Amino acid sequence: MKSIADKPLYKWILIISGIVFVFLLWWILAISLDTTLFPGPWETFEYLFQMMGEADIWIALGSTLLRLLICFVVCFILALIVGTIAGLFKPFYTFLSPLITILRTLPTAAVIYALIVLTQVEFAIDIICFLLIFPILYEAVANGIQNIDPQIWASLRLDGKVYRPRSIFCVLLPLSKDYISLGIIQSLGLGMKVLIMAEILCGSSKVRGLGRLIYYGALYSNMKEVFAVAIVAIIVIGVFDIILHYIKKPIKARIA
């Protein structure tokens, strides 16, 4: 029998109560500070609705999402190739593990500044997005293949078809879809966060994204714009997190 805390309605009540608490805390802080540098929720949402009637916010949102999509597609194709090889050949997986570990632990801000110095701003953003997304997708593909039922591996080896393209695309990768699906959602949500941060740190007029609006809003002390664009980013990232939350449970149950 489910406890009250496990019931969906009760969870939604707690979630909504938590959101109300955040806005109440925000409102109290805005009143206490009493400065234009920390606008309250009413002023922020009023400015946000005003921005939604203009083209800039939609162009910026579309630009950020398009950049994320392009980077994701490139990373996914490479991760599918390299991850499949690593899943099939354990020594290759072990060989790449130090590099993947380094990529996953890189200090993002420091790397962005280094890339800005070494390359063009647009390339710096794309590269940092790649460095973040690729390891997640690579690990998802490699681990998915390595964790396939040993009986299936034995059948493929018995028939001598382990390394054939038909076996890889029709057996191994489809059986790894749960791991790959988790990797996709995780990489998109995290990629969106890092992409916006990279756009802010680059601070270039050549980059037409949400980060650029936040950067120029802060530069000219227009904190209403900073907060409003941040809310748009939170909503988009929240959508990825909600999708991840709802698909993660059944996938993890199947993996277990």
Side-chain angles (χ1 to χ4, degrees), residues 132-145:
L132 177 90
I133 292 178
F134 175 76
I136 298 174
L137 294 173
Y138 161 81
E139 289 280 2
V141 176
N143 289 332
I145 292 175

Side-chain angles (χ1 to χ4, degrees), residues 72-88 92 130 133-134 136-142 145 168-169 172-174 176-177 180-181 184:
F72 170 79
V73 170
V74 172
C75 289
F76 184 75
I77 293 171
L78 289 176
L80 206 59
I81 297 170
V82 182
T84 300
I85 297 172
L88 292 172
F92 184 70
F130 172 84
I133 292 178
F134 175 76
I136 298 174
L137 294 173
Y138 161 81
E139 289 280 2
V141 176
I145 292 175
I168 293 171
F169 290 104
L172 298 180
L173 289 179
S176 307
K177 69 180 185 301
I180 296 172
S181 298
I184 288 172

Side-chain angles (χ1 to χ4, degrees), residues 231-245:
I231 288 174
V232 173
I234 290 170
I235 292 172
V236 175
I237 295 169
V239 170
F240 289 124
D241 288 342
I242 289 171
I243 295 172
L244 174 62
H245 173 75

Side-chain angles (χ1 to χ4, degrees), residues 19-162:
I19 294 172
V20 172
F21 173 74
V22 169
F23 279 101
L24 181 62
L25 185 62
W26 179 7
W27 178 65
I28 292 172
L29 283 171
I31 292 176
S32 302
L33 295 173
D34 191 24
T35 172
T36 56
L37 297 177
F38 195 89
W42 319 123
E43 296 93 336
T44 301
F45 276 96
E46 183 181 359
Y47 193 89
L48 175 59
F49 291 136
Q50 180 183 337
M51 287 184 70
M52 290 175 67
E54 302 172 357
D56 284 352
I57 185 67
W58 299 109
I59 293 173
L61 177 59
S63 176
T64 297
L65 289 175
L66 180 62
R67 186 183 293 273
L68 177 64
L69 178 62
I70 293 172
C71 187
F72 170 79
V73 170
V74 172
C75 289
F76 184 75
I77 293 171
L78 289 176
L80 206 59
I81 297 170
V82 182
T84 300
I85 297 172
L88 292 172
F89 301 99
K90 188 70 175 179
F92 184 70
Y93 178 83
T94 305
F95 172 76
L96 282 185
S97 59
L99 175 61
I100 298 301
T101 301
I102 291 171
L103 291 179
R104 298 190 74 147
T105 56
L106 283 174
T108 309
V111 175
I112 290 172
Y113 283 126
L115 289 172
I116 291 173
V117 173
L118 296 172
T119 66
Q120 295 183 15
V121 171
E122 302 95 313
F123 294 151
I125 296 174
D126 294 334
I127 293 171
I128 196 64
C129 189
F130 172 84
L131 293 178
L132 177 90
I133 292 178
F134 175 76
I136 298 174
L137 294 173
Y138 161 81
E139 289 280 2
V141 176
N143 289 332
I145 292 175
Q146 290 175 355
N147 286 282
I148 290 173
D149 191 332
Q151 292 183 351
I152 295 174
W153 279 108
S155 299
L156 290 173
R157 288 193 179 98
L158 188 63
D159 296 335
K161 299 178 179 178
V162 176

